[in-house]
Amino acid sequence: MNDEDLRLAPRTRAADLLAWAAAEGRAPVAEGPLRAVLALLELGGGRMHDGWPELTSNAVEHLLYERLHLYVQPGPETDPLAYGAAVELLVDHQRAARRLNAKRQERLHAEAEWQGEVAAGLLRRADLVTWPRLYALLLHAYEVDVADPAAVRAWLDGFRELAEEERLAAIAALVPTGWLDELDEQGWGPARVLSVGMATDGARRLLEQGLMRRSYRNLAELTAAGRPMPDELSGGFGEFEEAAAQAALDLCGEWTVPGLARLLLEEFPDLAPEPGQEEIDAYLAGLPQE
C-alpha cells in the first residue's frame, strides 16, 4: 500500500497520467478536470488497481451523468468537455497498461465522448446547481480574482449588503448573460432557494460518505501490512466524521473556487442557506392546498 492511500482524501495520479500523455504525443487535457475525474471515480466506490480506477460503463455513466454536476464548476477558461476528455485519456492509458482489451476501449471511448457532452449540458442547467457552483459562477461573472481569497471574501461581503431581491436578480441575470441555460417558470423564488440548499447539503454528505468508505476499504490492508493507522482513523468515530466533513469542504472548493464552499457554510450561511426539516415543513405548510 502506498503511503498516499493512508490519507482520507484521494491523492490522484493526475501528474503521472499527464506525463504519460505528453510522452505519447497526445493532445493535452486540463489538469483541474483530470484531477476531479480521477478523485470522483475513486470516491464512487469502484475498484482500484495500482492507484487507478477500474473503468466500466456503469462507472463512466455514474460519474458523468450523476455525480459531476453536483461538484464541479469550470471557470471561463476551461472547456466543459474537458471532463469527458479526461475520461477518454484514462481509457487509453488503461488500454496501454493492458487493463482493457480493444473492444472495451472502443466502447468506453464512445460512451465517454457522448456522456461528456451530456455532462457539459448538465453543468449549464440552472436547476442542478449547488451553492458553491452557483457562487463560483457569480464570482466569474463579476470578474472577481478567484485566486485571491481576500477578493472572494470582499465580494461576498458586498453581496451580503444587497437586499434579497437584488441578490436573486443577480442570480437570475446569469441566464441572459450566458452563464446558465434558461430556468423553468418558477424562477429564483423561495422554492428554488430551498432546492439549491437541499442539493448542496445532500451532495456534500454524499462526498463525506465516499471519503469514509475509501478509508474503510484500506483498513484490512493496513492491518495485514502491520501499518499504523492514519491520523484520520486513529481517534473516535466523531473525529473521523469531522475529518471527512472538512476534507469534503476542501474538495468542493478545489472543484469550484478554492475556499468558497467553506466560506459559504461557515461564514456566509445567510447567502447560501441549507434548510433543515423545520424550514422545509414551514415552506410546505405555506403552499396552497389542492
Side-chain angles (χ1 to χ4, degrees), residues 65-134:
Y65 185 70
E66 299 179 23
R67 297 294 293 272
L68 196 71
H69 67 267
L70 296 176
Y71 302 108
V72 308
Q73 184 54 60
E77 74 288 347
T78 300
D79 184 349
L81 294 175
Y83 298 96
V87 177
E88 292 184 63
L89 178 61
L90 181 59
V91 168
D92 291 345
H93 176 269
Q94 292 300 279
R95 167 60 178 161
R98 301 183 179 181
R99 296 286 188 190
L100 302 172
N101 60 34
K103 186 175 181 179
R104 286 187 64 201
Q105 177 193 24
E106 183 179 1
R107 184 179 73 249
L108 288 172
H109 233 293
E111 291 172 353
E113 182 176 0
W114 75 265
Q115 289 280 5
E117 293 174 358
V118 170
L122 295 177
L123 289 173
R124 294 189 54 82
R125 281 182 49 175
D127 60 329
L128 294 179
V129 294
T130 58
W131 288 126
R133 287 191 57 221
L134 185 59

Side-chain angles (χ1 to χ4, degrees), residues 136-157:
L137 281 170
L138 284 166
L139 289 163
H140 292 310
Y142 280 85
E143 299 184 345
V144 178
D145 182 2
V146 295
D148 181 356
V152 171
R153 185 187 297 274
W155 185 88
L156 290 172
D157 279 329

Side-chain angles (χ1 to χ4, degrees), residues 3-16:
D3 283 345
E4 296 297 337
D5 293 333
L6 306 184
R7 308 290 186 93
L8 185 59
R11 302 304 195 268
T12 68
R13 299 184 62 181
D16 294 341

Side-chain angles (χ1 to χ4, degrees), residues 14 18 27-37 77-79 82-83 85-86 89:
L18 290 172
V29 173
E31 183 175 356
L34 181 59
R35 290 188 181 280
V37 160
E77 74 288 347
T78 300
D79 184 349
Y83 298 96
L89 178 61

Side-chain angles (χ1 to χ4, degrees), residues 217-231:
R217 285 198 303 268
N218 289 332
L219 284 178
E221 193 171 348
L222 278 170
T223 302
R227 301 288 296 276
M229 297 283 273
D231 291 341

